[in-house]
Amino acid sequence: SEEEKTINLFKEFVWFRNYRTEKFFEALFFLEPLYTRLSLEYHLDEHDLFYYLLNEVSRLFIHEGRVPADELEIRKRGNALLLDDNHFFLLTGDQLKRKEEELAEHEDENSTEIRGMVVCRGCVQGAVSVVHNNSELDKVKEGEILVTSMTTPDYIPALRKAAAFITDEGGVTCHAAIVARELKKPCIVGTKRATQLLRDGELVEVDANAGIIRILS
């Protein structure tokens, strides 16, 4: 009975995780056209408003106070929101790097293999294209291996061109996993640090039968 209780609890966790993901993408569906329109209205780049904090959005609307362009560029290269004692802190640059190193399991920087979770089987080789945000999607070429932290619906044109996908985050129900199964392309998620360990142009083998990415050159 204790085992059954534990299994039912895990089922409930999975249901809430899927529900959260569904609502997240539903919110993005409605927010993207709104934020895009507002960005243009306030003479920002198309997706700039997505990198504003809530209080910064309010300040923009009331006082037209803008986040400096160089700060936005730093956020676009990588950012995380840390919840600590009911307060959110935005981490970017060196702060983000230190926090990632603190949280990540030890990885051998010289390792020629990266491991993750298989969500769609297959085995392909190709050149790496690392995408840090959606402004870099156009650089993905036909047959390349798309490497990113996580995917969202606006990644789909690039995912169609890619031979396989690798993500730092995610599980069996994440966006990349769902799209990979629909397109029947090899996909490994939850690698934690693929975007840090792989470089544009590197030749890799994505063995999505064993959950291993091998660096060939």
Side-chain angles (χ1 to χ4, degrees), residues 172-196:
V172 292
T173 61
C174 72
H175 180 264
I178 293 167
V179 174
R181 289 191 288 266
E182 287 177 357
L183 298 179
K184 296 181 172 56
K185 293 188 177 184
C187 181
I188 298 175
V189 301
T191 61
K192 296 189 177 72
R193 301 181 68 197
T195 55
Q196 297 174 45

mmCIF file of all heavy atoms in Angstrom, residues 172-196:
data_model
loop_
_atom_site.group_PDB
_atom_site.id
_atom_site.type_symbol
_atom_site.label_atom_id
_atom_site.label_comp_id
_atom_site.label_asym_id
_atom_site.label_seq_id
_atom_site.Cartn_x
_atom_site.Cartn_y
_atom_site.Cartn_z
ATOM 1 N N VAL A 172 10.378 14.274 -20.717
ATOM 2 C CA VAL A 172 9.645 13.571 -21.781
ATOM 3 C C VAL A 172 8.441 14.350 -22.293
ATOM 4 O O VAL A 172 7.943 14.073 -23.379
ATOM 5 C CB VAL A 172 9.192 12.175 -21.298
ATOM 6 C CG1 VAL A 172 10.383 11.271 -21.101
ATOM 7 C CG2 VAL A 172 8.347 12.267 -20.038
ATOM 8 N N THR A 173 7.962 15.335 -21.528
ATOM 9 C CA THR A 173 6.788 16.098 -21.976
ATOM 10 C C THR A 173 7.134 17.530 -22.382
ATOM 11 O O THR A 173 6.234 18.333 -22.606
ATOM 12 C CB THR A 173 5.722 16.148 -20.856
ATOM 13 O OG1 THR A 173 6.278 16.800 -19.706
ATOM 14 C CG2 THR A 173 5.251 14.758 -20.486
ATOM 15 N N CYS A 174 8.415 17.862 -22.494
ATOM 16 C CA CYS A 174 8.787 19.237 -22.856
ATOM 17 C C CYS A 174 8.483 19.498 -24.336
ATOM 18 O O CYS A 174 8.234 18.576 -25.118
ATOM 19 C CB CYS A 174 10.251 19.514 -22.534
ATOM 20 S SG CYS A 174 11.423 18.699 -23.631
ATOM 21 N N HIS A 175 8.538 20.764 -24.734
ATOM 22 C CA HIS A 175 8.203 21.152 -26.105
ATOM 23 C C HIS A 175 9.089 20.441 -27.127
ATOM 24 O O HIS A 175 8.600 19.917 -28.141
ATOM 25 C CB HIS A 175 8.330 22.676 -26.249
ATOM 26 C CG HIS A 175 8.016 23.168 -27.623
ATOM 27 N ND1 HIS A 175 9.002 23.414 -28.566
ATOM 28 C CD2 HIS A 175 6.833 23.446 -28.223
ATOM 29 C CE1 HIS A 175 8.434 23.826 -29.682
ATOM 30 N NE2 HIS A 175 7.123 23.861 -29.510
ATOM 31 N N ALA A 176 10.407 20.409 -26.888
ATOM 32 C CA ALA A 176 11.331 19.768 -27.830
ATOM 33 C C ALA A 176 10.990 18.289 -28.008
ATOM 34 O O ALA A 176 11.054 17.759 -29.125
ATOM 35 C CB ALA A 176 12.774 19.920 -27.336
ATOM 36 N N ALA A 177 10.634 17.627 -26.908
ATOM 37 C CA ALA A 177 10.299 16.199 -26.968
ATOM 38 C C ALA A 177 9.050 15.965 -27.807
ATOM 39 O O ALA A 177 8.998 15.044 -28.635
ATOM 40 C CB ALA A 177 10.100 15.659 -25.555
ATOM 41 N N ILE A 178 8.047 16.797 -27.610
ATOM 42 C CA ILE A 178 6.785 16.650 -28.352
ATOM 43 C C ILE A 178 7.018 16.862 -29.847
ATOM 44 O O ILE A 178 6.564 16.076 -30.686
ATOM 45 C CB ILE A 178 5.730 17.640 -27.812
ATOM 46 C CG1 ILE A 178 5.348 17.259 -26.378
ATOM 47 C CG2 ILE A 178 4.491 17.671 -28.704
ATOM 48 C CD1 ILE A 178 4.574 18.324 -25.636
ATOM 49 N N VAL A 179 7.760 17.923 -30.196
ATOM 50 C CA VAL A 179 8.023 18.223 -31.606
ATOM 51 C C VAL A 179 8.887 17.128 -32.236
ATOM 52 O O VAL A 179 8.650 16.719 -33.381
ATOM 53 C CB VAL A 179 8.696 19.603 -31.755
ATOM 54 C CG1 VAL A 179 9.099 19.856 -33.206
ATOM 55 C CG2 VAL A 179 7.758 20.695 -31.271
ATOM 56 N N ALA A 180 9.889 16.638 -31.499
ATOM 57 C CA ALA A 180 10.764 15.585 -32.023
ATOM 58 C C ALA A 180 9.964 14.341 -32.378
ATOM 59 O O ALA A 180 10.179 13.727 -33.430
ATOM 60 C CB ALA A 180 11.843 15.250 -30.995
ATOM 61 N N ARG A 181 9.022 13.980 -31.514
ATOM 62 C CA ARG A 181 8.207 12.791 -31.791
ATOM 63 C C ARG A 181 7.288 13.018 -32.989
ATOM 64 O O ARG A 181 7.053 12.113 -33.782
ATOM 65 C CB ARG A 181 7.423 12.400 -30.544
ATOM 66 C CG ARG A 181 8.309 11.811 -29.437
ATOM 67 C CD ARG A 181 7.514 11.176 -28.327
ATOM 68 N NE ARG A 181 6.847 12.148 -27.488
ATOM 69 C CZ ARG A 181 7.353 12.635 -26.357
ATOM 70 N NH1 ARG A 181 8.556 12.257 -25.952
ATOM 71 N NH2 ARG A 181 6.668 13.500 -25.629
ATOM 72 N N GLU A 182 6.787 14.258 -33.123
ATOM 73 C CA GLU A 182 5.931 14.570 -34.277
ATOM 74 C C GLU A 182 6.723 14.522 -35.576
ATOM 75 O O GLU A 182 6.244 14.024 -36.600
ATOM 76 C CB GLU A 182 5.302 15.954 -34.109
ATOM 77 C CG GLU A 182 4.199 16.012 -33.069
ATOM 78 C CD GLU A 182 3.647 17.413 -32.890
ATOM 79 O OE1 GLU A 182 4.168 18.348 -33.538
ATOM 80 O OE2 GLU A 182 2.697 17.569 -32.105
ATOM 81 N N LEU A 183 7.959 15.056 -35.550
ATOM 82 C CA LEU A 183 8.788 15.116 -36.755
ATOM 83 C C LEU A 183 9.622 13.854 -36.953
ATOM 84 O O LEU A 183 10.300 13.720 -37.972
ATOM 85 C CB LEU A 183 9.723 16.335 -36.690
ATOM 86 C CG LEU A 183 9.055 17.712 -36.626
ATOM 87 C CD1 LEU A 183 10.118 18.808 -36.533
ATOM 88 C CD2 LEU A 183 8.163 17.953 -37.837
ATOM 89 N N LYS A 184 9.592 12.976 -35.920
ATOM 90 C CA LYS A 184 10.370 11.722 -35.950
ATOM 91 C C LYS A 184 11.867 12.000 -36.144
ATOM 92 O O LYS A 184 12.539 11.417 -37.008
ATOM 93 C CB LYS A 184 9.847 10.792 -37.047
ATOM 94 C CG LYS A 184 8.416 10.318 -36.807
ATOM 95 C CD LYS A 184 7.936 9.376 -37.886
ATOM 96 C CE LYS A 184 6.593 8.755 -37.537
ATOM 97 N NZ LYS A 184 5.534 9.719 -37.262
ATOM 98 N N LYS A 185 12.377 12.918 -35.310
ATOM 99 C CA LYS A 185 13.799 13.252 -35.357
ATOM 100 C C LYS A 185 14.453 12.915 -34.024
ATOM 101 O O LYS A 185 13.836 13.116 -32.970
ATOM 102 C CB LYS A 185 13.980 14.739 -35.670
ATOM 103 C CG LYS A 185 13.523 15.113 -37.080
ATOM 104 C CD LYS A 185 13.889 16.542 -37.419
ATOM 105 C CE LYS A 185 13.491 16.869 -38.856
ATOM 106 N NZ LYS A 185 13.912 18.213 -39.265
ATOM 107 N N PRO A 186 15.712 12.419 -34.030
ATOM 108 C CA PRO A 186 16.400 12.091 -32.779
ATOM 109 C C PRO A 186 16.469 13.309 -31.852
ATOM 110 O O PRO A 186 16.750 14.427 -32.304
ATOM 111 C CB PRO A 186 17.798 11.660 -33.234
ATOM 112 C CG PRO A 186 17.630 11.264 -34.668
ATOM 113 C CD PRO A 186 16.546 12.148 -35.213
ATOM 114 N N CYS A 187 16.227 13.071 -30.574
ATOM 115 C CA CYS A 187 16.230 14.188 -29.616
ATOM 116 C C CYS A 187 16.689 13.706 -28.250
ATOM 117 O O CYS A 187 16.199 12.677 -27.744
ATOM 118 C CB CYS A 187 14.831 14.789 -29.522
ATOM 119 S SG CYS A 187 14.712 16.202 -28.403
ATOM 120 N N ILE A 188 17.619 14.452 -27.675
ATOM 121 C CA ILE A 188 18.101 14.190 -26.312
ATOM 122 C C ILE A 188 17.915 15.471 -25.512
ATOM 123 O O ILE A 188 18.358 16.535 -25.927
ATOM 124 C CB ILE A 188 19.587 13.761 -26.303
ATOM 125 C CG1 ILE A 188 19.762 12.453 -27.080
ATOM 126 C CG2 ILE A 188 20.100 13.603 -24.875
ATOM 127 C CD1 ILE A 188 21.220 12.017 -27.230
ATOM 128 N N VAL A 189 17.240 15.378 -24.368
ATOM 129 C CA VAL A 189 16.975 16.554 -23.535
ATOM 130 C C VAL A 189 17.615 16.364 -22.151
ATOM 131 O O VAL A 189 18.082 15.283 -21.812
ATOM 132 C CB VAL A 189 15.449 16.798 -23.387
ATOM 133 C CG1 VAL A 189 14.793 16.999 -24.739
ATOM 134 C CG2 VAL A 189 14.767 15.650 -22.629
ATOM 135 N N GLY A 190 17.611 17.450 -21.364
ATOM 136 C CA GLY A 190 18.103 17.365 -19.985
ATOM 137 C C GLY A 190 19.589 17.104 -19.870
ATOM 138 O O GLY A 190 20.043 16.503 -18.892
ATOM 139 N N THR A 191 20.382 17.608 -20.843
ATOM 140 C CA THR A 191 21.832 17.392 -20.778
ATOM 141 C C THR A 191 22.518 18.314 -19.771
ATOM 142 O O THR A 191 23.677 18.131 -19.451
ATOM 143 C CB THR A 191 22.478 17.634 -22.160
ATOM 144 O OG1 THR A 191 22.242 18.999 -22.537
ATOM 145 C CG2 THR A 191 21.896 16.696 -23.211
ATOM 146 N N LYS A 192 21.829 19.329 -19.332
ATOM 147 C CA LYS A 192 22.295 20.331 -18.365
ATOM 148 C C LYS A 192 23.274 21.363 -18.958
ATOM 149 O O LYS A 192 23.134 22.550 -18.722
ATOM 150 C CB LYS A 192 22.927 19.700 -17.126
ATOM 151 C CG LYS A 192 21.971 18.878 -16.283
ATOM 152 C CD LYS A 192 22.630 18.476 -14.981
ATOM 153 C CE LYS A 192 21.667 17.699 -14.084
ATOM 154 N NZ LYS A 192 21.405 16.349 -14.585
ATOM 155 N N ARG A 193 24.270 20.914 -19.728
ATOM 156 C CA ARG A 193 25.314 21.863 -20.145
ATOM 157 C C ARG A 193 25.722 21.730 -21.611
ATOM 158 O O ARG A 193 26.811 22.155 -21.984
ATOM 159 C CB ARG A 193 26.547 21.679 -19.253
ATOM 160 C CG ARG A 193 26.279 21.898 -17.772
ATOM 161 C CD ARG A 193 27.524 21.738 -16.949
ATOM 162 N NE ARG A 193 28.476 22.794 -17.199
ATOM 163 C CZ ARG A 193 29.770 22.728 -16.864
ATOM 164 N NH1 ARG A 193 30.246 21.650 -16.295
ATOM 165 N NH2 ARG A 193 30.571 23.739 -17.101
ATOM 166 N N ALA A 194 24.872 21.182 -22.443
ATOM 167 C CA ALA A 194 25.250 21.005 -23.858
ATOM 168 C C ALA A 194 25.580 22.334 -24.522
ATOM 169 O O ALA A 194 26.516 22.425 -25.321
ATOM 170 C CB ALA A 194 24.128 20.300 -24.617
ATOM 171 N N THR A 195 24.818 23.396 -24.198
ATOM 172 C CA THR A 195 25.081 24.706 -24.818
ATOM 173 C C THR A 195 26.429 25.279 -24.393
ATOM 174 O O THR A 195 26.990 26.127 -25.094
ATOM 175 C CB THR A 195 23.976 25.721 -24.468
ATOM 176 O OG1 THR A 195 23.845 25.808 -23.047
ATOM 177 C CG2 THR A 195 22.638 25.311 -25.077
ATOM 178 N N GLN A 196 26.946 24.832 -23.249
ATOM 179 C CA GLN A 196 28.247 25.325 -22.788
ATOM 180 C C GLN A 196 29.397 24.471 -23.319
ATOM 181 O O GLN A 196 30.499 24.980 -23.541
ATOM 182 C CB GLN A 196 28.294 25.321 -21.253
ATOM 183 C CG GLN A 196 27.276 26.255 -20.616
ATOM 184 C CD GLN A 196 27.266 26.115 -19.105
ATOM 185 O OE1 GLN A 196 28.322 26.079 -18.470
ATOM 186 N NE2 GLN A 196 26.082 26.025 -18.505
#
